[in-house]
Amino acid sequence: MTIQTLLGTVAVTLLLATTVQAGNLDLAMSEVFPREHATYIGYESIEREDIPVTSSVDRKYLIVDFRLASGRQSTEQLQASVHQACMALLKNRELIHDLSESGYDMVAVAFDRRSQFDCL
């Protein structure tokens, strides 16, 4: 087996693993809230290249994005929504394992373009 073949195989394996993980994440998050409360928009993977890999600071994290159907919520309602989204993530052990194996240090949820809330 040549190096090029090996690298191609690794690239395909990583692509398939990422696709499976993304599918699991999309499926899990699309079912967190009823449509009349909030809609799952998607996620964004952030990797801070400026932070050394050996640093204890979070380098790679995921933002899971929702949009509220009713616009703004009270602080208590927003906290309940954050809790509900985060618990849906945390209870999904397979998804947490997959994210951890993929190098994610943190997951946050967002309900608008201004704020995000850390889950883990």
Side-chain angles (χ1 to χ4, degrees):
M1 180 179 279
T2 67
I3 286 287
Q4 291 167 330
T5 305
L6 180 61
L7 290 176
T9 303
V10 170
V12 169
T13 303
L14 289 173
L15 179 61
L16 290 174
T18 302
T19 302
V20 170
Q21 175 188 321
N24 290 343
L25 180 64
D26 286 336
L27 180 62
M29 294 297 96
S30 65
E31 297 174 350
V32 172
F33 298 107
R35 290 230 183 259
E36 61 273 4
H37 178 73
T39 302
Y40 170 68
I41 301 297
Y43 65 91
E44 183 175 358
S45 177
I46 309 292
E47 187 165 359
R48 299 276 312 269
E49 301 278 334
D50 58 321
I51 298 174
V53 175
T54 56
S55 173
S56 63
V57 176
D58 294 338
R59 184 170 196 271
K60 186 174 178 182
Y61 62 99
L62 198 68
I63 301 173
V64 180
D65 200 14
F66 296 92
R67 287 298 173 268
L68 296 168
S70 63
R72 297 187 51 85
Q73 290 186 324
S74 70
T75 301
E76 293 80 19
Q77 290 171 322
L78 183 57
Q79 286 176 348
S81 295
V82 169
H83 178 75
Q84 186 172 348
C86 289
M87 290 309 295
L89 280 165
L90 294 172
K91 287 181 179 179
N92 189 330
R93 289 179 175 248
E94 181 181 346
L95 180 58
I96 292 298
H97 176 75
D98 289 347
L99 291 171
S100 180
E101 287 292 314
S102 297
Y104 288 98
D105 299 315
M106 184 180 72
V107 177
V109 295
F111 290 93
D112 58 36
R113 295 183 185 275
R114 297 178 305 267
S115 309
Q116 65 188 35
F117 305 89
D118 296 345
C119 290
L120 57 116

